[in-house]
Amino acid sequence: MGTKELFQNAAAHASRFRDMASSRAHRPTRDYAGSVAVFDGPLPARSTDMGAVLDDLVARAEPGLSMMTGARFFGWVIGGSHPMGVAADFLTSAWGQNTGNHVATPSAAAAETIAARWLLELLGLPRESSVGFVTGATVANFTCLAAARGEVLRRAGWGVDAKGLFGAPEITVLIGDDAHTTIFSALQFLGLGHDRVVRVSTDDQGRILPLAFSAAMSRVSGPSIAILQAGQINTGGCDDFRTLVPIAKARGAWVHVDGAFGLWAQASPRLRHLTDGVEMADSWATDGHKWLQTPYDCGYAIVRDEVAHRRAMTIAASYLPLAGEGERDPSHYVPELSRRARGFATWAMIRHLGREGIEAMIERACDVAAFMAEGLARQNGIAVVNAVTLNQIIVRFGEGLPAERADDLTRRTIALIQSDGLIFAGGAMWRGRQVMRLSVSNYQTDRAQANMALEAIVSAYRAVSGAADKA
Ligand SMILES: *Cc1c(COP(=O)(O)O)cnc(C)c1O
């Protein structure tokens, strides 16, 4: 089979898969062990026709896929891989641009330059900031914290990029008790240690307590980094930036914000009060593949001080052309050299939705979350545990029953919901108790989908608690 027919077949498979979202279970219908068995086989000795391989790949893969792109997928904060971004990403793969520098691929570098400017405007962040197009918020956090580490040590007279951390002045890292687990990974990669941090206590929404923060900050002497959060992964809670950032700045700390999804509140004038003051920080990590709906492999590392950003990341070699004044070499802002041209999907998504479309999408998700939370809270025995201000809902079943019994009912309700497959929701532990998490972050999720989801959740709970009553 030739290239043209192969690509057409791939596109046909892709759109057929997307059309299944309304009818197919949102969970995989084949588990991991089954999938391994289906993919297994001896190392192929000979070539197989491309068309045959493609059809074979699809047949083997589809049952083991989740409908993560579906309108009723509420597990984790997850993007919908919007068709516009997918189409741009098809081309990104087909064009095969190694996006290291601007001379070899002017378009890939230019798309990043413009998408970066649009992102800063959408998110209301300082226009002088630089943006690295990375794989996701985990690496965005890593990249921003590398810039932070370098800059606070440089101010203390230590060049960490050349000399490393041995013998360096100690850095105090302050972080909220309910920070995302990937921040601790970033600290681990950077030699700052995930346990060697000052953890600051938080309120019932996982937001840093200003008094505790102020007390911890007042004990800091020497280089320091304060890590705040926009969008706690369970509650959606955002730290009080207006209060916390000046406290940290007064002690000379670098302030970093993990805003993987919560930073997108900035795209809505109605929701922006939730992240009030966030633009005063020094760096921000956020995702394209969550609320902006680009396909996976897309996050943004945003740093106010471009020099600090580049000092931490620039890759230079005699065989690589250097960017001049006003030019952008994509590899100067991210850890890797060879990578895909992530700017195209971001540029296409922003161009397609526009500022108003993005604003409407963010607000719709929050409205649907509030609507679902109200619907659930009205039911006997179902409690919404968090204040639903953004797109996150945490739910407990068996409210009023002894805690262990409610834990058990919550677990069994989640299991039944998942096996029914009309929607997908997952569980988590929150304040020591089992909860169900609902994240509303798909561009297709509207009230009609929310009503179907509510019905599925309530009837699963009734079935589980009815069975428990009889037992
Ligand atoms: C998802 C998330 C991350 C990690 O982002 P990835 O895109 O999965 O790398 C970090 N912090 C928060 C708050 C998140 O929601």
Side-chain angles (χ1 to χ4, degrees):
M1 180 178 288
T3 302
K4 183 171 178 185
E5 203 183 334
L6 181 74
F7 284 3
Q8 281 168 345
N9 286 358
H13 280 304
S15 60
R16 184 185 46 76
F17 176 74
R18 299 299 284 253
D19 287 345
M20 292 195 304
S22 53
S23 55
R24 212 200 83 159
H26 272 45
R27 63 171 158 74
T29 52
R30 185 186 284 145
D31 67 5
Y32 171 72
S35 298
V36 170
V38 161
F39 274 99
D40 202 2
L43 170 68
R46 292 200 187 83
S47 174
T48 305
D49 173 70
M50 291 196 289
V53 173
L54 188 76
D55 290 344
D56 191 28
L57 172 65
V58 169
R60 290 177 203 235
E62 274 184 0
L65 301 178
S66 281
M67 250 328 149
M68 294 189 186
T69 57
R72 294 182 306 279
F73 195 93
F74 300 98
W76 319 300
V77 193
I78 206 165
S81 251
H82 193 288
M84 183 71 254
V86 172
D89 239 22
F90 278 167
L91 289 173
T92 300
S93 291
W95 289 335
Q97 300 297 291
N98 182 329
T99 308
N101 72 73
H102 73 287
V103 177
T105 178
S107 289
E112 288 193 6
T113 298
I114 303 310
R117 201 185 75 214
W118 288 351
L119 282 167
L120 295 176
E121 196 174 329
L122 273 170
L123 298 172
L125 298 178
R127 304 304 146 85
E128 72 269 25
S129 308
S130 49
V131 182
F133 288 67
V134 293
T135 52
T138 303
V139 177
N141 280 320
F142 165 80
T143 302
C144 292
L145 290 171
R149 181 187 71 164
E151 180 58 18
V152 299
L153 286 177
R154 192 192 61 79
R155 289 188 215 142
W158 186 267
V160 70
D161 301 311
K163 291 197 280 189
L165 281 174
F166 299 105
E170 279 212 23
I171 302 174
T172 308
V173 178
L174 289 93
I175 189 164
D177 245 342
D178 292 299
H180 196 265
T181 166
T182 57
I183 279 276
F184 294 96
S185 306
L187 293 170
Q188 171 186 335
F189 305 154
L190 286 162
L192 296 172
H194 52 60
D195 287 344
R196 210 198 127 279
V197 291
V198 177
R199 295 183 75 124
V200 184
S201 25
T202 48
D203 68 7
D204 58 349
Q205 305 298 311
R207 294 171 301 206
I208 289 176
L209 290 167
L211 280 179
F213 184 75
S214 182
M217 221 44 253
S218 72
R219 286 190 287 272
V220 170
S221 64
S224 60
I225 300 171
I227 300 172
L228 311 181
Q229 177 166 256
Q232 205 282 332
I233 195 71
N234 291 311
T235 66
C238 299
D239 285 330
D240 177 358
F241 304 108
R242 184 65 64 196
T243 304
L244 301 179
V245 178
I247 295 172
K249 292 273 173 130
R251 307 293 293 193
W254 175 295
V255 180
H256 171 68
V257 177
D258 176 9
F261 63 96
L263 197 58
W264 289 87
Q266 287 279 101
S268 152
R270 210 187 81 202
L271 297 165
R272 199 172 282 173
H273 66 97
L274 296 170
T275 41
D276 180 46
V278 74
E279 69 284 352
M280 296 187 294
D282 296 295
S283 58
W284 307 262
T286 194
D287 267 317
H289 60 214
K290 286 179 182 169
W291 233 341
L292 186 59
Q293 318 287 325
T294 68
Y296 275 98
D297 196 23
C298 189
Y300 315 113
I302 308 174
V303 181
R304 180 194 292 273
D305 179 350
E306 176 170 6
V307 176
H309 191 171
R310 292 182 55 149
R311 202 184 286 121
M313 291 292 141
T314 291
I315 299 169
S318 61
Y319 69 91
L320 298 172
L322 272 178
E325 186 64 28
E327 292 170 340
R328 174 193 176 85
D329 273 340
S331 63
H332 288 340
Y333 307 93
V334 299
E336 72 269 64
L337 178 60
S338 303
R339 64 168 169 92
R340 65 192 291 101
R342 299 192 180 100
F344 290 132
T346 299
W347 185 90
M349 275 311 303
I350 299 177
R351 173 119 154 90
H352 169 57
L353 292 175
R355 187 177 46 73
E356 289 171 13
I358 292 170
E359 181 183 320
M361 175 175 72
I362 304 293
E363 291 178 357
R364 185 167 61 248
C366 296
D367 290 345
V368 166
F371 170 76
M372 288 179 72
E374 276 165 35
L376 289 169
R378 263 202 300 277
Q379 300 291 326
N380 256 341
I382 302 182
V384 171
V385 180
N386 64 319
V388 179
T389 53
L390 204 62
N391 64 328
Q392 299 292 112
I393 313 169
I394 43 181
V395 186
R396 218 163 131 71
F397 299 94
E399 180 63 10
L401 297 173
E404 282 73 25
R405 231 170 98 53
D407 281 350
D408 180 55
L409 279 174
T410 303
R411 265 189 292 271
R412 285 197 282 150
T413 304
I414 296 168
L416 184 56
I417 287 169
Q418 289 186 356
S419 79
D420 281 349
L422 182 79
I423 78 166
F424 188 93
M429 296 303 286
W430 179 248
R431 301 301 186 241
R433 306 262 57 118
Q434 180 70 50
V435 292
M436 182 177 81
R437 296 178 65 239
L438 296 166
S439 302
V440 185
S441 56
N442 185 292
Y443 66 99
Q444 303 160 103
T445 309
D446 58 12
R447 287 236 176 167
Q449 302 291 339
N451 270 320
M452 288 169 74
L454 281 175
E455 233 167 80
I457 295 166
V458 173
S459 73
Y461 172 58
R462 297 282 169 248
V464 165
S465 61
D469 285 346
K470 273 183 222 124

